[in-house]
Amino acid sequence: MGLKKLRLVWQFLVVLVLALKICSAADFDPYRVLGVSRTASQGDIKKAYKRLAREWHPDKNKNAGAEDKFIQVSKAYEILSTEEKRSNFDRYGDAGESQGYPQQQQSHHFRHFHDSFYFDETFFHFPFNSERRDSSDEKYLLHFSHYINEVVPDSFRKPYLIKITSDWCFSCIHIEPVWKEVVQELEGLGVGIGVVHAGYERRLAHHLGAHSTPSILGVINGKISFFHNAVIRDNLRHFVESLLPSNLIEKITDRNYVRFLSNWQQENKPHVLLFDQMPPVPLLYKLVAFAYKDYLSFGYVDLGLKETEQMTSQYNINMYAPTMLVFKEHINKPADVVQARGMKKQIVDDFISNNKFLLAARLTNQKLFQELCPVRKSHRQRKFCVILLTGEGTKFHKTYEAFLSFALANTKDTVRFVHIFKERQREFSSALLANNEKFHGKSAVSILERRNSAGRVVYKTLSDVWSGSEENKFVLLDYLDQLRKDSGLLSSDTVLPDLNDELAPVFFLRWFYTAVEYWSECWDSMLHNNWREMMPLLSLIFSALFILFGTVIVQAFSDSNDERESNSTEKEEPSEKNEKNETSYSRESTRVPRKGFVEVTELTDVNYTSNLLRLRPGHMNVVLIVSSSTKASLLQRFAQEVYTFTGSGSLHFSFLNLDKHREWLEYLLEFAQDAASIAYQYDEHFLDRDYTGYVLALNGHKKYFCLFKAQSSVDEEKTLGASEELDSSSISGDGLRKISSSSSGPGLIKRKLNKLSLWMERLLEGSLQRFYIPSWPALD
């Protein structure tokens, strides 16, 4: 019974929904919504729609029913602006696809409700069902691979305007009429259009940084910029203009036109001037300038200014129609002209593409060489390049002008004329001239044909030096005429090296431009990007700053405390230090500066086996020699010197009390006679020898050690060595004690370990002298 009741309730709901839908469809009259008659023209319908759209747009009208009213206005305009839908509505009272079959209308609505579980989505003017998706958006749909492989590379030639949409996006309905109008206009000007469905292309939407719909963004030079203003035609147009670089077009007047046109030789580009009476530069002209920025330089002349009258008169410009002139090697006469009242993109593209290069362009990089002299693909598509190999300066000006005049008179589709500076492209020139001394300091002409992209060419260099004489021109013309009949005249072949990029900026400028571009991207991201994406970066920055300033503050306090402690320690008497060290041995033996912690253990007979005899291969024990009176000061300085090396797991640190284990140390030092002078055991001054501050690096496995001598001991040996020339009796025991005691003052104890860090670096490098022993002595 429960199941039957549920089915009855379900059927009742379906019938109720269908009845409401049919009633709403029957009550909807697009003529009444727009307030026009059934005989209204398309112009009247469009005017009524614009007026009502401005009045009821939700961004401007905050009333509760404004959104619903705007949807009705949009739907009414969609029906009446399409002749087919308007005719169907006039005949059948509905603009759907099945108006010609009224008897099937009810079953069609039921089927459509069942498929999408929603009312007929044409009422909402949005493609909620993939079967009824708007065809105008469908041809612009982007996929991730298509965006990466095609849109991004193409964005270096034209900007892209991309809309992010999704199903069930009611806000997307509001921008649909404006979007269609803008797309129709901008696509005709050369702007790329794309639509991303966030529901089906989540990867691409995430890659673009779009986390909400609808979103509109622009892509240029591979960079993404989001649109943040109200979706109206003017705002979208200005957004596209803002994507373009600001230095694409130079404003030209009578003052600077000569300088602008004379830059053709330095830039190696033709220069284009557009004459028009509109003060702002047309968007079409900006887009064309961006597409051909690598080939031509663009200037704009405002005919409404008095500062342009001289140019207008000189070039005989028509004041009532836009005129475009292209200048090449001669600035007094344009190489080509186009003039039209309605300057269309196709006209401009054809005009620019036919004038991309100079008559005799200079080969400045490999890319230009490949475009001017393409590889032969077939016998009918042969391209011959006539190259003038010349020098720079006024000395070669006459020969270049003669070559240029010959190129102007003999320009053909199968022949390209170019020139090259031999001093700037030495390897390229040497390959064609074969190091012929006859052409040294003079100009030469070569004719070549590229056979493959690897650099293989067949060529012929004219035997005579090119001086620009009539005889030279006649010989060159005769060769070109013969080449059309017999290509075998190009009898030599070689592999040409790649050309140097003469116009590439120096390293510093490239680094500077990259840094400026990077910081501009970061600044733009911080201002406009989604804060959800910026949070990880901001968190990382603030964490780094917190750690940095925290470290500086802690370092400052620790340094001040260490300085106070060291000053107070130096003022104490030696006897007081001895008492303090004896009572707090365990604490002082491992106490190190607050900058870091170094574990230093005392080497005794208890841990002697584990810390030396049974050390693992590759491990070493670095042992500091101290006495009871110098232990505290030396351990503190020792920790400072070796702290940076504590990260190595193969090093262990210990100290040895000289008062307890002098004989063990003396035994080891016998094997290092060249490194340390050993006192004779039965000498009366045997116990006066000061070894405190010595450091031994012990390798228990290989049975060798490296020795660091205290700096005060080194100075003492120099003093004793200088006095060896005197009688040995002149150095008494009191004198030896005096020398030894001079280096044991409170302020000089820590100096014994100077340069220990450098010694440690050499120890890790393995460049220290090694002293091998037969066996390790016992530590009694």
Side-chain angles (χ1 to χ4, degrees):
M1 289 296 292
L3 184 60
K4 290 183 178 180
K5 289 182 179 180
L6 183 61
R7 289 179 179 177
L8 290 175
V9 172
W10 173 252
Q11 292 175 0
F12 174 77
L13 290 175
V14 170
V15 173
L16 179 61
V17 169
L18 289 175
L20 291 175
K21 192 227 180 268
I22 294 172
C23 292
S24 63
D27 293 337
F28 183 78
D29 185 359
Y31 294 102
R32 188 175 68 252
V33 172
L34 294 181
V36 296
S37 63
R38 289 184 174 269
T39 58
S41 63
Q42 286 294 331
D44 296 336
I45 293 173
K46 190 172 184 178
K47 290 180 182 178
Y49 164 71
K50 288 185 176 181
R51 176 177 55 81
L52 293 173
R54 285 194 298 266
E55 179 182 355
W56 295 103
H57 197 285
D59 293 341
K60 297 182 178 180
N61 195 325
K62 302 301 181 181
N63 294 332
E67 183 175 354
D68 295 335
K69 183 66 176 178
F70 182 81
I71 294 174
Q72 292 184 6
V73 170
S74 300
K75 182 188 183 250
Y77 178 71
E78 181 196 10
I79 295 174
L80 298 184
S81 62
T82 307
E83 292 297 336
E84 182 181 358
K85 291 184 178 181
R86 183 178 181 182
S87 176
N88 289 337
F89 183 86
D90 292 339
R91 294 173 61 187
Y92 306 111
D94 197 300
E97 295 179 355
S98 58
Q99 274 73 355
Y101 307 93
Q103 68 276 11
Q104 299 179 7
Q105 190 171 9
Q106 184 173 353
S107 62
H108 163 74
H109 289 311
F110 180 82
R111 176 188 60 80
H112 204 75
F113 169 81
H114 182 267
D115 288 348
S116 60
F117 201 69
Y118 197 66
F119 297 112
D120 189 359
E121 61 266 19
T122 57
F123 180 83
F124 293 95
H125 183 55
F126 196 81
F128 290 136
N129 192 308
S130 59
E131 296 178 1
R132 308 250 335 223
R133 184 176 295 158
D134 194 344
S135 59
S136 62
D137 279 352
E138 188 172 359
K139 67 178 181 178
Y140 301 118
L141 286 176
L142 297 178
H143 305 286
F144 184 81
S145 59
H146 175 70
Y147 172 81
I148 296 297
N149 299 325
E150 297 185 24
V151 173
V152 172
D154 200 34
S155 68
F156 289 86
R157 293 181 291 273
K158 66 179 180 181
Y160 271 81
L161 191 66
I162 299 177
K163 179 183 70 172
I164 313 296
T165 185
S166 65
D167 290 339
W168 310 101
C169 174
F170 291 96
S171 299
C172 301
I173 303 168
H174 304 156
I175 69 173
E176 194 67 26
V178 180
W179 173 260
K180 287 184 177 180
E181 183 181 0
V182 171
V183 166
Q184 185 177 3
E185 176 187 2
L186 296 181
E187 188 177 22
L189 298 178
V191 179
I193 305 297
V195 176
V196 177
H197 195 290
Y200 301 109
E201 287 292 334
R202 295 183 180 179
R203 182 184 179 188
L204 178 55
H206 180 74
H207 176 78
L208 296 173
H211 301 286
S212 62
T213 55
S215 296
I216 296 178
L217 55 91
V219 180
I220 188 169
N221 291 332
K223 303 173 186 175
I224 301 171
S225 300
F226 277 85
F227 175 75
H228 297 280
N229 297 323
V231 183
I232 59 178
R233 175 184 171 277
D234 291 340
N235 288 348
L236 286 171
R237 186 184 177 93
H238 293 157
F239 173 66
V240 172
E241 289 192 33
S242 67
L243 295 176
L244 299 170
S246 59
N247 59 347
L248 280 176
I249 301 174
E250 185 176 352
K251 295 293 182 68
I252 304 300
T253 63
D254 293 338
R255 298 178 179 178
N256 62 350
Y257 82 98
V258 175
R259 176 192 57 80
F260 174 76
L261 297 178
S262 300
N263 285 338
W264 68 267
Q265 192 168 10
Q266 181 180 359
E267 298 177 2
N268 198 35
K269 295 179 181 179
H271 285 61
V272 183
L273 287 179
L274 175 66
F275 294 81
D276 202 349
Q277 290 187 340
M278 300 176 60
V281 182
L283 179 58
L284 171 62
Y285 194 53
K286 291 183 179 180
L287 293 170
V288 171
F290 179 74
Y292 295 95
K293 62 182 180 297
D294 295 333
Y295 300 97
L296 302 101
S297 296
F298 293 84
Y300 181 74
V301 182
D302 184 4
L303 295 176
L305 300 177
K306 293 183 179 180
E307 294 84 358
T308 60
E309 293 178 355
Q310 180 181 345
M311 277 189 297
T312 305
S313 175
Q314 179 178 350
Y315 299 120
N316 195 20
I317 302 299
N318 185 355
M319 299 289 294
Y320 303 101
T323 305
M324 190 175 292
L325 309 180
V326 61
F327 296 84
K328 295 186 178 179
E329 283 86 351
H330 300 100
I331 66 174
N332 296 323
K333 182 181 179 181
D336 202 355
V337 181
V338 64
Q339 187 178 67
R341 291 190 178 275
M343 195 75 75
K344 301 297 183 181
K345 182 179 184 300
Q346 188 62 41
I347 298 175
V348 178
D349 282 343
D350 293 341
F351 176 75
I352 296 298
S353 60
N354 292 331
N355 296 279
K356 288 170 57 177
F357 305 104
L358 298 171
L359 292 174
R362 179 162 60 93
L363 297 181
T364 56
N365 54 62
Q366 187 67 18
K367 178 183 176 182
L368 184 61
F369 176 55
Q370 293 173 354
E371 292 193 52
L372 289 173
C373 305
V375 177
R376 185 187 71 174
K377 297 182 180 179
S378 65
H379 183 75
R380 295 182 178 181
Q381 297 180 347
R382 306 187 70 170
K383 291 282 187 180
F384 298 103
C385 270
V386 182
I387 303 180
L388 172 66
L389 299 102
T390 184
E392 298 183 72
T394 57
K395 175 183 176 181
F396 300 93
H397 182 70
K398 181 180 178 181
T399 57
Y400 170 74
E401 288 294 335
F403 183 78
L404 182 60
S405 63
F406 181 86
L408 182 61
N410 297 276
T411 299
K412 295 181 176 60
D413 293 338
T414 58
V415 179
R416 287 280 193 182
F417 293 89
V418 296
H419 72 283
I420 193 172
F421 290 154
K422 293 190 294 184
E423 292 78 6
R424 299 191 184 186
Q425 307 289 346
R426 295 183 182 274
E427 296 182 2
F428 189 92
S429 303
S430 299
L432 294 176
L433 299 179
N435 296 323
N436 195 333
E437 293 295 334
K438 180 173 63 175
F439 299 109
H440 181 70
K442 298 180 181 180
S443 301
V445 173
S446 294
I447 307 172
L448 65 83
E449 181 184 23
R450 294 181 64 211
R451 290 299 176 89
N452 57 36
S453 57
R456 182 176 177 270
V457 298
V458 292
Y459 71 97
K460 173 68 176 180
T461 300
L462 301 186
S463 57
D464 295 333
V465 174
W466 177 267
S467 61
S469 63
E470 294 299 325
E471 182 180 357
N472 289 146
K473 294 180 181 179
F474 178 77
V475 172
L476 179 57
L477 182 60
D478 183 56
Y479 264 110
L480 293 178
D481 290 337
Q482 294 181 42
L483 276 177
R484 297 186 183 95
K485 303 174 184 178
D486 181 16
S487 61
L489 292 176
L490 303 179
S491 55
S492 303
D493 66 328
T494 186
V495 177
L496 294 177
D498 290 345
L499 290 166
N500 302 323
D501 192 352
E502 299 178 10
L503 303 180
V506 297
F507 173 76
F508 175 76
L509 290 179
R510 282 183 290 175
W511 178 87
F512 178 75
Y513 294 151
T514 304
V516 171
E517 184 179 0
Y518 174 77
W519 283 112
S520 63
E521 288 183 12
C522 294
W523 179 253
D524 184 70
S525 299
M526 293 183 64
L527 287 180
H528 300 296
N529 275 11
N530 196 311
W531 282 101
R532 187 189 308 175
E533 292 185 344
M534 295 299 298
M535 285 305 296
L537 178 60
L538 293 176
S539 176
L540 178 62
I541 293 175
F542 282 113
S543 299
L545 291 176
F546 177 78
I547 294 173
L548 177 63
F549 285 107
T551 304
V552 170
I553 294 173
V554 172
Q555 181 77 20
F557 280 105
S558 63
D559 287 345
S560 61
N561 292 337
D562 290 343
E563 185 176 355
R564 287 196 298 268
E565 289 180 2
S566 61
N567 292 336
S568 61
T569 304
E570 291 178 358
K571 293 179 181 179
E572 294 178 356
E573 294 294 332
S575 59
E576 295 178 356
K577 287 195 287 185
N578 291 341
E579 295 176 0
K580 181 179 179 180
N581 292 334
E582 293 296 336
T583 56
S584 58
Y585 154 72
S586 60
R587 197 170 58 238
E588 288 294 324
S589 62
T590 59
R591 177 176 296 178
V592 295
R594 297 184 183 179
K595 293 181 181 179
F597 176 78
V598 181
E599 183 179 0
V600 184
T601 59
E602 184 178 5
L603 190 64
T604 63
D605 55 346
V606 177
N607 57 13
Y608 181 67
T609 301
S610 59
N611 287 353
L612 179 61
L613 301 182
R614 295 184 181 179
L615 273 180
R616 287 180 292 177
H619 286 236
M620 301 186 73
N621 196 344
V622 181
V623 180
L624 170 67
I625 307 301
V626 299
S627 63
S628 299
S629 60
T630 61
K631 179 169 61 175
S633 300
L634 287 178
L635 282 176
Q636 187 180 35
R637 181 58 185 273
F638 180 71
Q640 292 176 348
E641 294 289 331
V642 304
Y643 173 68
T644 56
F645 304 95
T646 55
S648 175
S650 61
L651 295 180
H652 308 273
F653 301 97
S654 305
F655 70 91
L656 182 75
N657 196 321
L658 184 64
D659 299 336
K660 302 178 182 178
H661 307 289
R662 174 179 286 270
E663 294 183 3
W664 182 87
L665 177 63
E666 294 285 356
Y667 175 80
L668 288 185
L669 294 182
E670 289 180 1
F671 295 92
Q673 293 292 336
D674 56 340
S677 56
I678 310 300
Y680 185 63
Q681 186 171 2
Y682 298 102
D683 187 1
E684 59 176 339
H685 307 298
F686 168 70
L687 296 178
D688 294 329
R689 189 68 178 178
D690 185 14
Y691 294 111
T692 58
Y694 278 43
V695 178
L696 290 82
L698 310 176
N699 190 318
H701 179 70
K702 293 187 176 181
K703 298 179 182 179
Y704 72 82
F705 67 91
C706 299
L707 177 65
F708 171 81
K709 297 171 62 178
Q711 294 302 303
S712 58
S713 298
V714 175
D715 298 337
E716 179 182 333
E717 288 180 3
K718 292 181 180 179
T719 303
L720 293 175
S723 61
E724 285 180 356
E725 299 177 359
L726 302 177
D727 187 74
S728 59
S729 62
S730 62
I731 303 179
S732 61
D734 295 335
L736 184 60
R737 292 188 188 93
K738 187 175 183 180
I739 294 174
S740 177
S741 62
S742 64
S743 62
S744 61
L748 300 177
I749 293 177
K750 295 183 178 181
R751 297 182 185 177
K752 292 186 175 185
L753 298 181
N754 287 346
K755 301 182 181 181
L756 177 61
S757 58
L758 300 178
W759 182 83
M760 291 292 296
E761 291 180 1
R762 294 186 58 192
L763 174 65
L764 295 179
E765 293 173 358
S767 59
L768 291 176
Q769 183 179 1
R770 299 178 180 181
F771 304 103
Y772 289 87
I773 62 174
S775 62
W776 294 108
L779 188 66
D780 297 330

